[in-house]
Each structure stands twice: as C-alpha cells, then as structure tokens.
Amino acid sequence: MLAAMDLADDLSDSPSPLPVLTVSELNRMARRALESQLPLLWVEGEVSNFTRAASGHWYFSLKDAAAQVRCVMFRGRNQFAGFTPANGDHVEVRALPSLYEARGEFQLGAEQIRRAGAGRLYEAFLRLKTKLEAEGLFDPAKKRALPRFPRRLGIVTSPQAAALHDVLTALARRMPGLPVILYPTPVQGAGAGAQIAGAIRTAGARAECDVLLVCRGGGSLEDLWGFNDEAVARAIAASPIPVVSGVGHETDFTLADFAADLRAPTPTAAAELASPVRRELLLQLGQLARQLHRHHARRQHGEMQRLDYLARRLVHPAEQLRRQRDGLDQLALRLRNGLRARLTREALRMARFAQQLVTPRHAVQREQQRLAALAGRSGRAVESALARRRLTLARLTSSLAHLNPDGVLARGYAIVQRQDGRVVQDAATLAAGDTLDLRLHRGRARTRVESTSVD
C-alpha cells in the first residue's frame, strides 16, 4: 500500500505528463506515420474475398502462405486495370500502405494491378523493343505501301483461331472471290515465336501473295508473347511481301505491330486494310465507264462540228477569184472616197489660213487702234483715281478742322495753364494767389487767382 502511494506521488509530481489521445487521433497519427515511412511499392499475392461495391470500388485481400492484407482500389483507378481480378488470381499490386482510420485496419490503397509475371514480361518487351528500334528495324522510312488491288492474300495464323474466321468473314463481305493462302502456325504457347517466324519466311520464299496478314485474337500479355519474339520481328522486317499486323485488340501492342508495314487494331481491321471493297470498285468502275462514254461523245460531237466548219470553208477557185475581185473593187472605192475627203479637208484648211493672213499695214493700224483705246482707258482711270483722292483729302481736312483746338479758342474759349505748362482742369486744384497763363485764340495773358469755387 505504501509503495502504491509513493508511485502515485511520483506520477503526480512528473513535470511533463503524457497527453491523452482519442482513438481517432491515435489512428490518424498511425496513418500519417505509415504513409510517410512506407513508399509506394509493388506487392504480390493471391486475390481473395474480392468484392465490387455499388460505387464501383474494389475491395479484396492479398494473401500468401503465411499472411494476408486488405486492399482497396477506387473506381478512378480500377477502370484502367484492363481486367477484373477474380478470387484465386495471382496478381501484382502497386499500392500505398495506409490505415483505414474508422476501423483501425491496416490496408493497401491500390494504384495499379497486373497479373503476376506480366511486369517482368513487359520489361523484357521494352528492352527488346529498344534494341530493335536502335537497329532501325522499326524505321518508318522502310514501311511499304500496300498494293491497291492485291491478287492474293496470305494469312499467317492458326487454322483453329477465331481470328482466321474474322478475316475470312471480312474478306467475303468486302471482296468475294479474292484468293487466300493460309500459312498455318501455332499462335501461342512454347515455341510459337519460332514457328510464326518460320511461316512468315515460308510465305516470303514462295511469293504466292501480294499482302501478308499476321494475326490472332486478343488475350493476355502471356497469350500474345509469341508475337513479341525477336525472330518474328526480324522475319516481318525482312519479308519481301508487305506485312499487315492484326494481333489482339486495339489496346494491345506487340513487336510484330512495330515491325510490320501497317498495324491494324484487330484481325478484322487488318483484312479491311489489305482488301478493297468490291462494291465500291464496281461503283467506281461504273462511274469511270460513264465518264469515258461522256468524254467520247463530247469528242465525237466536237470533231463533227469541226468537219462541218472545214466543209463550209472549202470554196471553188472561181468563187474565190470572184470574192477577191469584189474585195478589190471595194478597196478601190474606199480609196477614191478617202482621197476626195482628204482634198476637201485640205482646201478648207487653206481657206482658214488665207483668212488669218494679214498685211503689215493692217497690223500697224490694228496696234495703233489698240494703243489709242489703252490711252483712253488709262486717262479715264487716272481722272477717276484723282477724283477719289480729292474726296478723301476733303474729308480728312474737314475732320482735322473739327479736331483743331484753335477753332475752339476762336469761339471764345481759353486754355488755362500753370507756370510749368500743366493744363488746369479742376478749380479744386487751385488756391488764391496762384498765377496762371491763359492761352487765347490770339495771344496769351497772365492772371492771378483771387478765389475759387467748385460747383
């Protein structure tokens, strides 16, 4: 009892007691610690307890012989997976380790999923692709155009493959009667790559067809691996016959696609790319025949019109001589009329010149008359100007007389000035005893101021 009391005292006296966390805070700290310490990684295992929720999310577990872990793959990620896993599938998941806080459960948030082993195959595919690309095996400049009208088609595929049925169905629809030669070969399994390459070389050596289709249906990366064989890619690149690759579906790519002259997304599309449409060819042929007929008819009509024109131009020599004589007569008549009109115009021109020709005496008389007229006009102009100047002078003289101060003085007025010559205008400025000068109309006078008054 004493020891327990001592321990309680020690805990109560501790300077920094541990914080008390809620379960939510603890789980949140654990999740953050996990996500910060464990990076995005690949995990391999067997799928179990797979469930697709109504929201589209996937929930499953990955297990091996000793342990298991829960996984979730949200709809935004699983729609790009390319397949839906099932219980028992062996897969590889690229995921971020985390903790589901609501339940405190450790789980993996899956970003990608692939079948186990597909990653290694894809890496091998990329290494081989890089190698062959560096050798120029996939150079676009080496790609050959397909013949527009192939006489025979060769097909490299398995006789039991669904791709063969798809190709033959498409050819029957587009170009019935087009000969087809099958070069049978397994398209998957051990040794399939070598057999596919051998069939391609056989087709090239026989030279029986104009276009070679290398095709098979869709499948996993392992199923299509025979078409990623280096021997297949080299056989396609070395083929003397243009090759169309139609392997898998639209999203599947193999080395055969890169080495071929043309890649088709499906076997059916390969058949469509390699063969023309019989119906369209017949329509084009009919259109060309109609164009040829119209061109021939236009040419025939044109030649007939040309023949008629030449026939009209064909004239008897006597008729040609008569036409030439008529032409000469017309020219002679035009020449005579032209000379007559020219002589008339020249006579009129000479008459105008004769009228304009004047003797020197007449010229002198005309100039004298012109000078007399100018002298009269000049005299009148001078008299008129002098009259205007006289009127102006009289007006200015009258104005000056009105402004002359002598005229004002003559009427009895006087100019009052101080001794210094300043004019007095206001009596208030004067004082008794001031001496002033008076300027009269005739003479001057001096006076003294006795008194002043301002009215």
Side-chain angles (χ1 to χ4, degrees):
M1 183 66 180
L2 183 59
M5 292 177 62
D6 293 340
L7 180 59
D9 292 340
D10 292 341
L11 290 175
S12 61
D13 295 338
S14 176
S16 57
L18 294 175
V20 178
L21 302 177
T22 65
V23 176
S24 298
E25 291 172 340
L26 176 63
N27 287 352
R28 188 175 302 113
M29 290 174 62
R31 179 182 62 80
R32 291 174 179 174
L34 278 172
E35 293 178 353
S36 63
Q37 295 299 320
L38 294 178
L40 197 65
L41 43 78
W42 285 96
V43 181
E44 180 181 356
E46 180 183 328
V47 177
S48 65
N49 300 322
F50 180 83
T51 302
R52 182 198 293 269
S55 60
H57 308 325
W58 292 352
Y59 299 94
F60 57 95
S61 296
L62 280 184
K63 67 179 182 178
D64 58 16
Q68 68 176 3
V69 62
R70 293 186 60 81
C71 302
V72 58
M73 192 170 191
F74 297 109
R75 182 179 60 182
R77 297 290 184 179
N78 64 40
Q79 62 181 347
F80 302 107
F83 74 103
T84 301
N87 292 329
D89 286 352
H90 199 64
V91 298
E92 295 173 351
V93 175
R94 186 170 182 259
L96 180 68
S98 183
L99 185 80
Y100 182 45
E101 295 181 22
R103 294 184 180 178
E105 295 180 351
F106 175 74
Q107 69 178 15
L108 298 179
E111 301 285 332
Q112 290 179 257
I113 187 170
R114 67 191 182 196
R115 300 183 188 277
R120 292 185 291 274
L121 288 177
Y122 186 67
E123 291 174 0
F125 165 79
L126 291 179
R127 286 195 300 271
L128 185 55
K129 178 177 178 292
T130 302
K131 172 188 171 183
L132 298 179
E133 192 170 18
E135 295 180 12
L137 210 68
F138 307 148
D139 187 0
K142 297 180 180 179
K143 306 299 182 183
R144 295 162 293 185
L146 303 183
R148 187 177 180 186
F149 304 109
R151 293 171 297 177
R152 289 188 188 86
L153 287 183
I155 304 176
V156 175
T157 191
S158 171
Q160 292 79 30
L164 178 61
H165 177 266
D166 295 341
V167 170
L168 294 178
T169 301
L171 293 176
R173 183 184 72 252
R174 293 172 60 86
M175 182 57 74
L178 180 65
V180 174
I181 300 175
L182 176 64
Y183 300 94
T185 177
V187 291
Q188 71 180 68
Q195 296 184 65
I196 295 171
I200 294 172
R201 287 192 291 268
T202 299
R206 291 182 181 178
E208 299 167 319
C209 53
D210 302 317
V211 181
L212 187 63
L213 307 184
V214 178
C215 56
R216 71 146 287 161
S220 64
L221 184 59
E222 294 90 342
D223 296 337
L224 303 179
W225 194 249
F227 294 90
N228 286 322
D229 194 288
E230 182 177 355
V232 174
R234 294 190 181 278
I236 291 175
S239 172
I241 304 172
V243 177
V244 179
S245 173
V247 179
H249 298 305
E250 293 187 10
T251 57
D252 298 323
F253 281 89
T254 63
L255 294 179
D257 294 328
F258 294 105
D261 296 287
L262 190 62
R263 185 250 176 188
T266 62
T268 300
E272 292 174 351
L273 290 174
S275 63
V277 182
R278 183 175 182 272
R279 186 182 302 106
E280 293 179 359
L281 293 179
L282 290 176
L283 291 175
Q284 293 177 8
L285 185 61
Q287 184 178 3
L288 292 174
R290 289 189 294 272
Q291 290 178 357
L292 181 61
H293 177 72
R294 288 194 296 268
H295 176 74
H296 177 71
R298 285 196 299 268
R299 180 68 180 274
Q300 184 179 13
H301 294 160
E303 293 299 328
M304 292 172 62
Q305 291 179 355
R306 183 168 177 270
L307 181 61
D308 292 340
Y309 172 72
L310 294 176
R312 287 194 298 270
R313 292 184 59 188
L314 186 61
V315 183
H316 193 274
E319 179 65 19
Q320 291 184 358
L321 289 175
R322 186 187 64 77
R323 292 179 181 177
Q324 290 179 3
R325 283 197 299 270
D326 292 343
L328 288 174
D329 294 340
Q330 291 292 332
L331 291 175
L333 178 60
R334 290 175 58 189
L335 181 59
R336 288 194 297 271
N337 292 337
L339 288 175
R340 188 179 298 110
R342 180 64 181 274
L343 289 174
T344 302
R345 287 196 300 272
E346 292 298 328
L348 293 174
R349 184 165 170 267
M350 292 298 294
R352 285 197 299 272
F353 286 158
Q355 291 176 358
Q356 295 174 2
L357 186 61
V358 181
T359 61
R361 185 180 62 183
H362 293 161
V364 169
Q365 291 176 353
R366 190 164 54 245
E367 291 300 323
Q368 288 175 347
Q369 291 173 358
R370 189 171 69 84
L371 287 174
L374 290 175
R377 290 172 57 190
S378 177
R380 289 192 296 274
V382 170
E383 290 296 333
S384 177
L386 287 175
R388 287 196 300 274
R389 296 295 186 275
R390 291 190 189 98
L391 290 174
T392 301
L393 181 58
R395 186 172 64 255
L396 292 176
T397 301
S398 176
S399 298
L400 184 59
H402 290 311
L403 296 176
N404 190 355
D406 290 337
V408 178
L409 296 177
R411 293 197 295 272
Y413 291 95
I415 297 176
V416 180
Q417 293 178 315
R418 293 180 181 274
Q419 294 295 316
D420 56 4
R422 289 180 299 166
V423 176
V424 178
Q425 296 177 342
D426 189 358
T429 61
L430 299 177
D434 288 347
T435 301
L436 301 176
D437 289 335
L438 301 178
R439 181 182 175 186
L440 306 174
H441 177 61
R442 292 180 181 175
R444 291 175 176 272
R446 178 165 293 181
T447 184
R448 184 180 301 275
V449 177
E450 292 183 357
S451 63
T452 62
S453 64
V454 179
D455 296 335

